[in-house]
Amino acid sequence: MEKVAKCMCGQFRSVVNGELRSVAMCHCLAFKRRSGSAFAYNAFYQTSDVRLERTYKIHQGEGQQRHEIERHFCPEFGTTVYSRTAKFPGICNIPASALADPTFPTPLVSLFEESNHAWFVPPPGIEHCVRGPAPGAVRPDADQCRDANT
């Protein structure tokens, strides 16, 4: 089933025709700044399953673990609708909020909880990572999450 993520004005779109790989909430500082919220709610897909439509700009920067992130955003309102990183080749990130689907799945994992707000309470039953997932893991298993001592 086709899913469409849109920027605020609707001009820039990420059109998804593929299976959802993972859903995560991320408390890293880069995603907080990108989302303007206490955490980001991200959907992960194969890059080959996503097509970008219309005009956008690209920002390249670093994530919390110093890996390069490429964000595609609306030049009018600045809404990020697609991003990718070399850390996860072949995988892209679509902000779940840009899909505007209130039935979208609950996150499977909460990442970078070392940076979460003290009042944050995660959904029950999800995995917790103090930092990010182990390299190469899109949806880390509990033993792949890095703890505070790594």
Side-chain angles (χ1 to χ4, degrees), residues 20-130:
L20 179 64
R21 292 284 312 267
S22 185
V23 183
M25 55 190 344
C26 185
H27 306 272
C28 78
L29 301 178
F31 276 144
K32 283 182 178 188
R33 289 183 179 115
R34 190 258 313 150
S35 69
S37 184
F39 57 86
Y41 175 36
N42 300 311
F44 297 90
Y45 294 93
Q46 291 289 135
T47 54
S48 58
D49 292 339
V50 179
R51 124 180 136 260
L52 304 181
E53 295 184 343
R54 304 185 185 149
T55 307
Y56 57 88
K57 288 188 175 186
I58 298 174
H59 173 264
Q60 293 186 341
E62 286 187 345
Q64 192 156 318
Q65 292 179 325
R66 304 270 186 249
H67 57 276
E68 187 76 18
I69 298 174
E70 183 181 277
R71 295 174 188 88
H72 297 64
F73 63 95
C74 170
E76 184 69 25
F77 285 94
T79 311
T80 300
V81 182
Y82 176 94
S83 61
R84 62 184 177 186
T85 177
K87 184 177 180 180
F88 300 116
I91 301 294
C92 66
N93 171 348
I94 307 288
S97 56
L99 293 164
D101 178 359
T103 67
F104 204 75
T106 301
L108 301 170
V109 62
S110 176
L111 303 170
F112 289 100
E113 288 188 341
E114 68 185 0
S115 303
N116 70 0
H117 291 276
W119 51 259
F120 171 72
V121 178
I126 69 171
E127 296 172 13
H128 303 274
C129 294
V130 174

